[in-house]
Amino acid sequence: MVAAAPAPRMKSPDRWQIDPNPKRIDDLIPPGHPARLVWELVRELDLTPLYAQIKAVEGHAGRPAVDPRILVALWLYSTYEGIGKARELYRRCYDCDAYKWLRGGVDVNYHTLSDFRTQHPEWLKEQVVANVAALRAEGLASLDVLGQDGMRVRAWAGNDSFKREAKLQELLEEAEQKWERLQQEFEQETKPSPREQAAQERAARERIERLKQAQQEIQKVAKAREKRKKGDGDSARASTTDPEARRMKMGDGGTRPAYNIEFSTDLNSLVIMGFDVTNAGSDAGQMEPMVQKIEAEQAPLPEKAEYYVDGGFATKEDLTSMAQRGVTVYSPVKAVEKQQKQGKDPYAPRRGDSPEVAAWRQRMGTDEGRQKYKQRAKCEWSNAECRNRGLHQFVVRGLEKVKTVVLWYVLIHNLLRMVALRAKRTAAIA
């Protein structure tokens, strides 16, 4: 008789036992972790306007609100890590140690996170302006040498959502008929629950609102197309899902729904001094509005300030107005090789040029002007940083919400630049 083989000895899971290595929340991440830095940066922000909006107060009924400091820190850190969706941020709040640490045991939900991201544009703008002002006061940034560059970021709208005027009217009539049918169904005995009814009404109402807005936007598009080419306005289209988005030519040569993000960067400190979001597919004419915005928020550009832009920005009107401010613009003259082949001097003044435009042509014709213009490439660093942090497509609709999302990118960019510039100054002193 063959003896039975001895039973194997092994370690099997026992999930009823207590975890032998419990951790405090503060031990989830090591000292020097970026999440700790973000938390310290948030502590320096003025959150008074956000606290003033909390309705739950001592001595009265009501559920306590989530501390706005937590929500600000979560969105700044998620922006730093390239997380642009509220649902992904919500998942990480319970799956990832850094987000657990920022949360500090306070429960958050998707709707709170999603709403908070776009609910406070004015507060975000105030923080960006205050941060830039502080950097200027410390001598870490200035308005002396600025560079402006634009980048197109994909909108949430799809290509197929763009419709002509007749189709928009047809869709609007269908949406209004659906609204009427819903109201009739809600009056019946077998009506849905209040929650389902509210959701259906909200979806139908928002659909009608977007279609009406699309009808308004298509008139703007038609007017702009007609201005460029007579009769071209008839081919105008607007999106039914994001009416303010426009089809733009992207960096890869394709055409997609997008928004145009403009950054004006201090070329010495690489701090974003001003930003704007437009739905214009061209950078032409965007220089003067940006300077006006910077001067309204910060201070007038100093005499003999330098402003660097690529050829797409340089319109005669902007070149003239900038020179009249005392600002020297460095921007390449267009079609230099073509003009030279035709035997023309591209840097010579032309008929109709203002004295300021003529001076710009002559300036860009010198070796000094062309050499100085090379530093314009530094302003693309701001774009690259935002791209690296996930700014490839917006998941919100509408120009105002898009601007609010970009403000989060500008704020975290400038806060981290502040840390780097202060550290560099400290090292230089030591």
Side-chain angles (χ1 to χ4, degrees), residues 33-94:
H33 192 281
R36 293 183 184 272
L37 172 61
V38 168
W39 183 256
E40 290 303 315
L41 291 172
V42 173
R43 289 169 63 90
E44 297 182 14
L45 301 178
D46 180 14
L47 302 181
T48 305
L50 301 184
Y51 288 126
Q53 297 178 26
I54 298 176
K55 296 180 180 179
V57 294
E58 294 291 341
H60 294 272
R63 177 183 297 178
V66 177
D67 189 341
R69 195 179 305 278
I70 296 174
L71 299 174
V72 172
L74 285 171
W75 272 117
L76 284 177
Y77 186 69
S78 66
T79 303
Y80 164 77
E81 287 214 317
I83 307 302
K85 295 183 178 180
R87 291 196 182 277
E88 176 62 16
L89 173 55
Y90 170 71
R91 184 189 69 78
R92 293 193 177 216
C93 282
Y94 292 89

Short mmCIF file of all heavy atoms in Angstrom, two decimals, residues 33-94:
data_model
loop_
_atom_site.label_atom_id
_atom_site.label_comp_id
_atom_site.label_asym_id
_atom_site.label_seq_id
_atom_site.Cartn_x
_atom_site.Cartn_y
_atom_site.Cartn_z
N HIS A 33 5.90 65.55 -0.35
CA HIS A 33 5.02 65.13 -1.45
C HIS A 33 4.34 66.36 -2.06
O HIS A 33 4.01 67.31 -1.35
CB HIS A 33 3.96 64.16 -0.91
CG HIS A 33 3.20 63.45 -1.98
ND1 HIS A 33 2.16 64.04 -2.67
CD2 HIS A 33 3.32 62.20 -2.48
CE1 HIS A 33 1.67 63.18 -3.56
NE2 HIS A 33 2.36 62.06 -3.46
N PRO A 34 4.15 66.37 -3.39
CA PRO A 34 3.51 67.54 -4.04
C PRO A 34 2.15 67.90 -3.46
O PRO A 34 1.77 69.07 -3.45
CB PRO A 34 3.39 67.09 -5.50
CG PRO A 34 4.49 66.11 -5.70
CD PRO A 34 4.62 65.39 -4.39
N ALA A 35 1.41 66.91 -2.96
CA ALA A 35 0.10 67.22 -2.38
C ALA A 35 0.25 68.10 -1.14
O ALA A 35 -0.59 68.98 -0.89
CB ALA A 35 -0.63 65.92 -2.02
N ARG A 36 1.32 67.89 -0.37
CA ARG A 36 1.55 68.74 0.80
C ARG A 36 1.88 70.17 0.36
O ARG A 36 1.45 71.15 1.00
CB ARG A 36 2.69 68.17 1.65
CG ARG A 36 2.37 66.84 2.31
CD ARG A 36 3.53 66.38 3.19
NE ARG A 36 3.28 65.07 3.77
CZ ARG A 36 2.65 64.85 4.93
NH1 ARG A 36 2.21 65.89 5.63
NH2 ARG A 36 2.47 63.63 5.38
N LEU A 37 2.62 70.30 -0.72
CA LEU A 37 2.95 71.63 -1.25
C LEU A 37 1.69 72.35 -1.70
O LEU A 37 1.49 73.53 -1.40
CB LEU A 37 3.94 71.50 -2.41
CG LEU A 37 4.23 72.80 -3.17
CD1 LEU A 37 4.85 73.84 -2.25
CD2 LEU A 37 5.15 72.52 -4.37
N VAL A 38 0.82 71.63 -2.40
CA VAL A 38 -0.43 72.23 -2.87
C VAL A 38 -1.26 72.70 -1.69
O VAL A 38 -1.84 73.79 -1.70
CB VAL A 38 -1.21 71.23 -3.75
CG1 VAL A 38 -2.63 71.74 -4.00
CG2 VAL A 38 -0.50 71.01 -5.08
N TRP A 39 -1.32 71.88 -0.62
CA TRP A 39 -2.10 72.27 0.55
C TRP A 39 -1.55 73.54 1.19
O TRP A 39 -2.31 74.43 1.59
CB TRP A 39 -2.09 71.13 1.57
CG TRP A 39 -2.93 71.41 2.78
CD1 TRP A 39 -2.50 71.76 4.02
CD2 TRP A 39 -4.36 71.39 2.85
NE1 TRP A 39 -3.56 71.95 4.87
CE2 TRP A 39 -4.73 71.72 4.18
CE3 TRP A 39 -5.36 71.10 1.92
CZ2 TRP A 39 -6.05 71.79 4.60
CZ3 TRP A 39 -6.69 71.17 2.34
CH2 TRP A 39 -7.02 71.51 3.65
N GLU A 40 -0.22 73.66 1.27
CA GLU A 40 0.38 74.87 1.83
C GLU A 40 0.10 76.08 0.94
O GLU A 40 -0.12 77.19 1.44
CB GLU A 40 1.88 74.67 2.00
CG GLU A 40 2.25 73.70 3.11
CD GLU A 40 1.66 74.11 4.45
OE1 GLU A 40 1.74 75.32 4.80
OE2 GLU A 40 1.09 73.24 5.15
N LEU A 41 0.11 75.88 -0.37
CA LEU A 41 -0.18 76.98 -1.29
C LEU A 41 -1.63 77.45 -1.13
O LEU A 41 -1.92 78.64 -1.19
CB LEU A 41 0.08 76.56 -2.73
CG LEU A 41 1.55 76.33 -3.10
CD1 LEU A 41 1.67 75.74 -4.50
CD2 LEU A 41 2.32 77.66 -3.03
N VAL A 42 -2.54 76.50 -0.94
CA VAL A 42 -3.94 76.86 -0.76
C VAL A 42 -4.14 77.64 0.53
O VAL A 42 -4.99 78.54 0.61
CB VAL A 42 -4.82 75.59 -0.77
CG1 VAL A 42 -6.27 75.91 -0.41
CG2 VAL A 42 -4.78 74.92 -2.14
N ARG A 43 -3.35 77.33 1.55
CA ARG A 43 -3.45 78.04 2.83
C ARG A 43 -3.13 79.52 2.67
O ARG A 43 -3.55 80.36 3.48
CB ARG A 43 -2.52 77.41 3.86
CG ARG A 43 -2.97 76.04 4.34
CD ARG A 43 -1.87 75.36 5.15
NE ARG A 43 -1.56 76.10 6.35
CZ ARG A 43 -2.16 75.92 7.52
NH1 ARG A 43 -3.12 75.01 7.64
NH2 ARG A 43 -1.82 76.62 8.59
N GLU A 44 -2.38 79.87 1.62
CA GLU A 44 -2.02 81.27 1.38
C GLU A 44 -3.08 82.02 0.58
O GLU A 44 -3.00 83.25 0.46
CB GLU A 44 -0.67 81.35 0.64
CG GLU A 44 0.50 80.78 1.43
CD GLU A 44 1.81 80.92 0.67
OE1 GLU A 44 1.84 81.69 -0.32
OE2 GLU A 44 2.80 80.27 1.07
N LEU A 45 -4.05 81.31 0.00
CA LEU A 45 -5.09 81.96 -0.79
C LEU A 45 -6.16 82.55 0.12
O LEU A 45 -6.40 82.06 1.23
CB LEU A 45 -5.73 80.94 -1.75
CG LEU A 45 -4.80 80.27 -2.75
CD1 LEU A 45 -5.58 79.27 -3.59
CD2 LEU A 45 -4.11 81.29 -3.65
N ASP A 46 -6.80 83.58 -0.37
CA ASP A 46 -7.89 84.23 0.38
C ASP A 46 -9.20 83.50 0.07
O ASP A 46 -9.79 83.69 -1.00
CB ASP A 46 -7.99 85.70 -0.02
CG ASP A 46 -9.11 86.42 0.72
OD1 ASP A 46 -9.61 85.85 1.72
OD2 ASP A 46 -9.49 87.53 0.30
N LEU A 47 -9.66 82.69 1.00
CA LEU A 47 -10.88 81.91 0.81
C LEU A 47 -12.10 82.57 1.45
O LEU A 47 -13.18 81.98 1.50
CB LEU A 47 -10.71 80.51 1.39
CG LEU A 47 -9.56 79.67 0.83
CD1 LEU A 47 -9.53 78.30 1.50
CD2 LEU A 47 -9.68 79.52 -0.66
N THR A 48 -11.95 83.80 1.93
CA THR A 48 -13.05 84.48 2.61
C THR A 48 -14.34 84.52 1.78
O THR A 48 -15.42 84.23 2.31
CB THR A 48 -12.63 85.91 3.00
OG1 THR A 48 -11.42 85.85 3.78
CG2 THR A 48 -13.72 86.59 3.81
N PRO A 49 -14.28 84.85 0.48
CA PRO A 49 -15.53 84.88 -0.31
C PRO A 49 -16.20 83.52 -0.40
O PRO A 49 -17.43 83.44 -0.46
CB PRO A 49 -15.06 85.35 -1.70
CG PRO A 49 -13.78 86.09 -1.44
CD PRO A 49 -13.14 85.36 -0.32
N LEU A 50 -15.42 82.44 -0.39
CA LEU A 50 -16.00 81.11 -0.46
C LEU A 50 -16.66 80.73 0.87
O LEU A 50 -17.74 80.12 0.89
CB LEU A 50 -14.93 80.08 -0.82
CG LEU A 50 -14.21 80.31 -2.15
CD1 LEU A 50 -13.24 79.16 -2.43
CD2 LEU A 50 -15.19 80.45 -3.31
N TYR A 51 -16.02 81.08 1.98
CA TYR A 51 -16.62 80.79 3.29
C TYR A 51 -17.91 81.59 3.49
O TYR A 51 -18.84 81.13 4.15
CB TYR A 51 -15.63 81.12 4.41
CG TYR A 51 -14.49 80.13 4.51
CD1 TYR A 51 -13.17 80.55 4.49
CD2 TYR A 51 -14.74 78.77 4.63
CE1 TYR A 51 -12.12 79.64 4.58
CE2 TYR A 51 -13.71 77.85 4.72
CZ TYR A 51 -12.40 78.29 4.69
OH TYR A 51 -11.37 77.39 4.78
N ALA A 52 -17.96 82.79 2.91
CA ALA A 52 -19.14 83.64 3.08
C ALA A 52 -20.38 83.05 2.41
O ALA A 52 -21.51 83.41 2.76
CB ALA A 52 -18.87 85.04 2.52
N GLN A 53 -20.18 82.15 1.45
CA GLN A 53 -21.31 81.55 0.73
C GLN A 53 -21.89 80.32 1.44
O GLN A 53 -22.92 79.80 1.02
CB GLN A 53 -20.88 81.17 -0.68
CG GLN A 53 -20.46 82.36 -1.53
CD GLN A 53 -20.00 81.95 -2.91
OE1 GLN A 53 -20.40 80.91 -3.43
NE2 GLN A 53 -19.16 82.77 -3.53
N ILE A 54 -21.25 79.86 2.51
CA ILE A 54 -21.73 78.67 3.22
C ILE A 54 -22.96 79.05 4.05
O ILE A 54 -22.91 79.96 4.87
CB ILE A 54 -20.62 78.09 4.12
CG1 ILE A 54 -19.44 77.63 3.26
CG2 ILE A 54 -21.16 76.94 4.96
CD1 ILE A 54 -18.26 77.13 4.05
N LYS A 55 -24.05 78.35 3.84
CA LYS A 55 -25.31 78.66 4.51
C LYS A 55 -25.43 77.98 5.88
O LYS A 55 -26.18 78.44 6.74
CB LYS A 55 -26.48 78.27 3.63
CG LYS A 55 -26.54 79.06 2.32
CD LYS A 55 -27.73 78.63 1.47
CE LYS A 55 -27.77 79.44 0.17
NZ LYS A 55 -28.91 79.03 -0.69
N ALA A 56 -24.74 76.86 6.07
CA ALA A 56 -24.79 76.17 7.36
C ALA A 56 -23.92 76.91 8.37
O ALA A 56 -22.71 77.03 8.18
CB ALA A 56 -24.31 74.73 7.19
N VAL A 57 -24.54 77.43 9.42
CA VAL A 57 -23.81 78.21 10.42
C VAL A 57 -24.12 77.68 11.80
O VAL A 57 -25.12 76.97 12.02
CB VAL A 57 -24.17 79.71 10.33
CG1 VAL A 57 -23.71 80.30 9.02
CG2 VAL A 57 -25.68 79.92 10.52
N GLU A 58 -23.25 78.01 12.77
CA GLU A 58 -23.42 77.56 14.14
C GLU A 58 -24.75 78.07 14.71
O GLU A 58 -25.14 79.21 14.50
CB GLU A 58 -22.27 78.07 15.01
CG GLU A 58 -20.91 77.48 14.65
CD GLU A 58 -20.81 76.00 14.98
OE1 GLU A 58 -21.63 75.51 15.79
OE2 GLU A 58 -19.94 75.33 14.41
N GLY A 59 -25.43 77.18 15.45
CA GLY A 59 -26.68 77.55 16.09
C GLY A 59 -27.91 77.39 15.22
O GLY A 59 -29.01 77.70 15.66
N HIS A 60 -27.71 76.90 13.99
CA HIS A 60 -28.85 76.71 13.09
C HIS A 60 -28.77 75.33 12.46
O HIS A 60 -27.69 74.73 12.34
CB HIS A 60 -28.86 77.79 12.00
CG HIS A 60 -29.09 79.17 12.52
ND1 HIS A 60 -30.34 79.71 12.69
CD2 HIS A 60 -28.21 80.12 12.95
CE1 HIS A 60 -30.22 80.94 13.17
NE2 HIS A 60 -28.94 81.22 13.34
N ALA A 61 -29.93 74.83 12.04
CA ALA A 61 -29.98 73.51 11.43
C ALA A 61 -29.33 73.53 10.05
O ALA A 61 -29.20 74.57 9.41
CB ALA A 61 -31.43 73.04 11.32
N GLY A 62 -28.96 72.35 9.59
CA GLY A 62 -28.37 72.23 8.26
C GLY A 62 -27.12 71.37 8.26
O GLY A 62 -26.38 71.34 9.26
N ARG A 63 -26.91 70.66 7.17
CA ARG A 63 -25.74 69.80 7.07
C ARG A 63 -24.48 70.64 6.89
O ARG A 63 -24.46 71.56 6.07
CB ARG A 63 -25.90 68.85 5.89
CG ARG A 63 -24.71 67.94 5.65
CD ARG A 63 -24.92 67.08 4.43
NE ARG A 63 -26.05 66.17 4.60
CZ ARG A 63 -26.46 65.32 3.67
NH1 ARG A 63 -25.84 65.28 2.49
NH2 ARG A 63 -27.50 64.53 3.90
N PRO A 64 -23.41 70.34 7.62
CA PRO A 64 -22.15 71.09 7.45
C PRO A 64 -21.63 70.96 6.02
O PRO A 64 -21.71 69.90 5.41
CB PRO A 64 -21.21 70.44 8.46
CG PRO A 64 -22.10 69.75 9.45
CD PRO A 64 -23.31 69.33 8.69
N ALA A 65 -21.10 72.05 5.50
CA ALA A 65 -20.55 72.05 4.14
C ALA A 65 -19.12 71.50 4.15
O ALA A 65 -18.44 71.50 5.18
CB ALA A 65 -20.56 73.47 3.59
N VAL A 66 -18.69 71.03 3.00
CA VAL A 66 -17.29 70.63 2.84
C VAL A 66 -16.44 71.89 2.85
O VAL A 66 -16.77 72.90 2.19
CB VAL A 66 -17.10 69.87 1.51
CG1 VAL A 66 -15.63 69.51 1.30
CG2 VAL A 66 -17.96 68.62 1.48
N ASP A 67 -15.36 71.87 3.59
CA ASP A 67 -14.46 73.02 3.66
C ASP A 67 -13.98 73.38 2.25
O ASP A 67 -13.40 72.53 1.55
CB ASP A 67 -13.25 72.67 4.54
CG ASP A 67 -12.37 73.86 4.84
OD1 ASP A 67 -12.45 74.87 4.11
OD2 ASP A 67 -11.57 73.78 5.79
N PRO A 68 -14.21 74.61 1.78
CA PRO A 68 -13.75 75.00 0.45
C PRO A 68 -12.25 74.80 0.24
O PRO A 68 -11.80 74.55 -0.88
CB PRO A 68 -14.13 76.48 0.36
CG PRO A 68 -15.27 76.64 1.30
CD PRO A 68 -14.99 75.69 2.42
N ARG A 69 -11.49 74.87 1.33
CA ARG A 69 -10.04 74.65 1.20
C ARG A 69 -9.74 73.25 0.65
O ARG A 69 -8.81 73.06 -0.14
CB ARG A 69 -9.36 74.83 2.57
CG ARG A 69 -7.86 74.97 2.50
CD ARG A 69 -7.27 75.15 3.88
NE ARG A 69 -7.88 76.27 4.58
CZ ARG A 69 -7.52 77.55 4.41
NH1 ARG A 69 -6.56 77.84 3.56
NH2 ARG A 69 -8.11 78.50 5.09
N ILE A 70 -10.55 72.27 1.05
CA ILE A 70 -10.37 70.90 0.55
C ILE A 70 -10.68 70.85 -0.94
O ILE A 70 -9.91 70.26 -1.73
CB ILE A 70 -11.29 69.92 1.31
CG1 ILE A 70 -10.89 69.85 2.78
CG2 ILE A 70 -11.25 68.53 0.68
CD1 ILE A 70 -11.83 69.01 3.63
N LEU A 71 -11.78 71.46 -1.35
CA LEU A 71 -12.19 71.41 -2.76
C LEU A 71 -11.20 72.15 -3.65
O LEU A 71 -10.87 71.68 -4.74
CB LEU A 71 -13.60 72.01 -2.90
CG LEU A 71 -14.69 71.28 -2.12
CD1 LEU A 71 -16.01 72.04 -2.22
CD2 LEU A 71 -14.86 69.86 -2.62
N VAL A 72 -10.71 73.29 -3.18
CA VAL A 72 -9.70 74.03 -3.95
C VAL A 72 -8.43 73.20 -4.09
O VAL A 72 -7.85 73.08 -5.19
CB VAL A 72 -9.39 75.39 -3.28
CG1 VAL A 72 -8.20 76.07 -3.96
CG2 VAL A 72 -10.62 76.30 -3.32
N ALA A 73 -7.99 72.59 -3.00
CA ALA A 73 -6.76 71.78 -3.04
C ALA A 73 -6.93 70.57 -3.95
O ALA A 73 -6.00 70.22 -4.70
CB ALA A 73 -6.40 71.33 -1.62
N LEU A 74 -8.09 69.93 -3.90
CA LEU A 74 -8.32 68.77 -4.76
C LEU A 74 -8.25 69.15 -6.22
O LEU A 74 -7.64 68.44 -7.04
CB LEU A 74 -9.67 68.14 -4.43
CG LEU A 74 -9.76 67.33 -3.14
CD1 LEU A 74 -11.20 66.95 -2.84
CD2 LEU A 74 -8.89 66.07 -3.23
N TRP A 75 -8.88 70.28 -6.59
CA TRP A 75 -8.88 70.66 -8.01
C TRP A 75 -7.51 71.17 -8.47
O TRP A 75 -7.09 70.90 -9.59
CB TRP A 75 -9.96 71.69 -8.28
CG TRP A 75 -11.28 71.05 -8.62
CD1 TRP A 75 -12.45 71.14 -7.93
CD2 TRP A 75 -11.54 70.19 -9.73
NE1 TRP A 75 -13.43 70.39 -8.55
CE2 TRP A 75 -12.90 69.80 -9.66
CE3 TRP A 75 -10.77 69.71 -10.79
CZ2 TRP A 75 -13.49 68.96 -10.60
CZ3 TRP A 75 -11.36 68.86 -11.72
CH2 TRP A 75 -12.69 68.50 -11.62
N LEU A 76 -6.80 71.88 -7.60
CA LEU A 76 -5.46 72.32 -7.98
C LEU A 76 -4.52 71.13 -8.15
O LEU A 76 -3.74 71.06 -9.11
CB LEU A 76 -4.90 73.29 -6.93
CG LEU A 76 -5.46 74.70 -6.95
CD1 LEU A 76 -4.87 75.52 -5.80
CD2 LEU A 76 -5.16 75.39 -8.29
N TYR A 77 -4.61 70.18 -7.23
CA TYR A 77 -3.73 69.01 -7.33
C TYR A 77 -4.10 68.14 -8.52
O TYR A 77 -3.23 67.61 -9.22
CB TYR A 77 -3.77 68.20 -6.04
CG TYR A 77 -2.77 67.07 -6.03
CD1 TYR A 77 -1.41 67.32 -5.98
CD2 TYR A 77 -3.19 65.74 -6.09
CE1 TYR A 77 -0.48 66.29 -5.99
CE2 TYR A 77 -2.27 64.70 -6.09
CZ TYR A 77 -0.92 64.98 -6.05
OH TYR A 77 -0.01 63.95 -6.07
N SER A 78 -5.39 67.96 -8.78
CA SER A 78 -5.81 67.16 -9.93
C SER A 78 -5.41 67.84 -11.23
O SER A 78 -5.03 67.17 -12.20
CB SER A 78 -7.32 66.91 -9.89
OG SER A 78 -8.04 68.11 -10.07
N THR A 79 -5.48 69.17 -11.27
CA THR A 79 -5.02 69.91 -12.46
C THR A 79 -3.53 69.72 -12.65
O THR A 79 -3.05 69.52 -13.77
CB THR A 79 -5.36 71.40 -12.32
OG1 THR A 79 -6.78 71.56 -12.12
CG2 THR A 79 -4.97 72.17 -13.58
N TYR A 80 -2.78 69.78 -11.54
CA TYR A 80 -1.34 69.55 -11.58
C TYR A 80 -1.03 68.15 -12.14
O TYR A 80 -0.06 67.96 -12.90
CB TYR A 80 -0.77 69.71 -10.18
CG TYR A 80 0.61 69.15 -9.97
CD1 TYR A 80 1.73 69.84 -10.44
CD2 TYR A 80 0.81 67.94 -9.30
CE1 TYR A 80 3.00 69.33 -10.25
CE2 TYR A 80 2.08 67.43 -9.11
CZ TYR A 80 3.17 68.12 -9.59
OH TYR A 80 4.43 67.62 -9.40
N GLU A 81 -1.85 67.16 -11.80
CA GLU A 81 -1.63 65.79 -12.25
C GLU A 81 -2.29 65.47 -13.58
O GLU A 81 -2.19 64.35 -14.05
CB GLU A 81 -2.14 64.81 -11.19
CG GLU A 81 -1.26 64.73 -9.95
CD GLU A 81 -1.23 63.35 -9.36
OE1 GLU A 81 -2.30 62.72 -9.27
OE2 GLU A 81 -0.13 62.88 -8.99
N GLY A 82 -2.97 66.45 -14.18
CA GLY A 82 -3.59 66.22 -15.49
C GLY A 82 -4.93 65.52 -15.43
O GLY A 82 -5.34 64.88 -16.40
N ILE A 83 -5.63 65.62 -14.29
CA ILE A 83 -6.96 65.01 -14.15
C ILE A 83 -7.99 66.10 -14.40
O ILE A 83 -8.12 67.04 -13.63
CB ILE A 83 -7.16 64.42 -12.74
CG1 ILE A 83 -6.02 63.46 -12.39
CG2 ILE A 83 -8.51 63.72 -12.66
CD1 ILE A 83 -5.85 62.32 -13.37
N GLY A 84 -8.74 65.96 -15.49
CA GLY A 84 -9.66 67.01 -15.88
C GLY A 84 -11.12 66.66 -15.74
O GLY A 84 -11.98 67.49 -16.04
N LYS A 85 -11.44 65.46 -15.27
CA LYS A 85 -12.83 65.04 -15.17
C LYS A 85 -13.21 64.84 -13.70
O LYS A 85 -12.46 64.23 -12.93
CB LYS A 85 -13.07 63.75 -15.94
CG LYS A 85 -12.89 63.90 -17.45
CD LYS A 85 -13.20 62.61 -18.18
CE LYS A 85 -13.05 62.78 -19.69
NZ LYS A 85 -13.36 61.54 -20.42
N ALA A 86 -14.39 65.33 -13.35
CA ALA A 86 -14.83 65.25 -11.95
C ALA A 86 -15.01 63.81 -11.50
O ALA A 86 -14.74 63.47 -10.34
CB ALA A 86 -16.13 66.04 -11.78
N ARG A 87 -15.48 62.95 -12.38
CA ARG A 87 -15.69 61.54 -11.99
C ARG A 87 -14.35 60.84 -11.70
O ARG A 87 -14.25 60.02 -10.78
CB ARG A 87 -16.46 60.79 -13.07
CG ARG A 87 -17.91 61.25 -13.19
CD ARG A 87 -18.76 60.27 -13.97
NE ARG A 87 -20.12 60.75 -14.11
CZ ARG A 87 -21.07 60.62 -13.19
NH1 ARG A 87 -20.79 60.02 -12.05
NH2 ARG A 87 -22.29 61.09 -13.41
N GLU A 88 -13.34 61.17 -12.47
CA GLU A 88 -12.03 60.57 -12.21
C GLU A 88 -11.45 61.13 -10.91
O GLU A 88 -10.83 60.38 -10.12
CB GLU A 88 -11.09 60.87 -13.37
CG GLU A 88 -9.65 60.40 -13.18
CD GLU A 88 -9.52 58.88 -13.02
OE1 GLU A 88 -10.48 58.15 -13.36
OE2 GLU A 88 -8.46 58.43 -12.56
N LEU A 89 -11.65 62.42 -10.66
CA LEU A 89 -11.20 63.00 -9.40
C LEU A 89 -11.92 62.35 -8.23
O LEU A 89 -11.30 62.02 -7.20
CB LEU A 89 -11.44 64.51 -9.40
CG LEU A 89 -11.17 65.25 -8.08
CD1 LEU A 89 -9.76 64.99 -7.57
CD2 LEU A 89 -11.42 66.74 -8.25
N TYR A 90 -13.22 62.12 -8.36
CA TYR A 90 -13.99 61.47 -7.29
C TYR A 90 -13.45 60.07 -7.02
O TYR A 90 -13.30 59.67 -5.86
CB TYR A 90 -15.46 61.40 -7.71
CG TYR A 90 -16.31 60.54 -6.81
CD1 TYR A 90 -16.63 60.95 -5.52
CD2 TYR A 90 -16.78 59.30 -7.25
CE1 TYR A 90 -17.40 60.16 -4.68
CE2 TYR A 90 -17.55 58.50 -6.42
CZ TYR A 90 -17.85 58.93 -5.14
OH TYR A 90 -18.61 58.14 -4.32
N ARG A 91 -13.14 59.32 -8.07
CA ARG A 91 -12.59 57.97 -7.88
C ARG A 91 -11.27 58.03 -7.12
O ARG A 91 -11.03 57.24 -6.19
CB ARG A 91 -12.39 57.30 -9.24
CG ARG A 91 -11.92 55.84 -9.14
CD ARG A 91 -11.53 55.29 -10.49
NE ARG A 91 -10.33 55.90 -11.02
CZ ARG A 91 -9.10 55.58 -10.63
NH1 ARG A 91 -8.91 54.68 -9.68
NH2 ARG A 91 -8.05 56.18 -11.16
N ARG A 92 -10.41 58.95 -7.49
CA ARG A 92 -9.11 59.05 -6.85
C ARG A 92 -9.21 59.50 -5.40
O ARG A 92 -8.32 59.21 -4.60
CB ARG A 92 -8.21 60.00 -7.64
CG ARG A 92 -7.86 59.46 -9.02
CD ARG A 92 -6.76 60.23 -9.67
NE ARG A 92 -6.40 59.63 -10.96
CZ ARG A 92 -5.17 59.58 -11.45
NH1 ARG A 92 -4.17 60.07 -10.74
NH2 ARG A 92 -4.93 59.04 -12.62
N CYS A 93 -10.25 60.22 -5.07
CA CYS A 93 -10.44 60.66 -3.68
C CYS A 93 -10.55 59.48 -2.72
O CYS A 93 -10.31 59.63 -1.52
CB CYS A 93 -11.68 61.55 -3.58
SG CYS A 93 -11.42 63.23 -4.14
N TYR A 94 -10.93 58.31 -3.25
CA TYR A 94 -11.09 57.13 -2.40
C TYR A 94 -10.11 56.01 -2.75
O TYR A 94 -10.02 55.04 -2.00
CB TYR A 94 -12.54 56.63 -2.49
CG TYR A 94 -13.51 57.60 -1.88
CD1 TYR A 94 -14.07 58.62 -2.63
CD2 TYR A 94 -13.82 57.54 -0.53
CE1 TYR A 94 -14.94 59.55 -2.06
CE2 TYR A 94 -14.69 58.45 0.05
CZ TYR A 94 -15.24 59.46 -0.73
OH TYR A 94 -16.09 60.37 -0.16
#
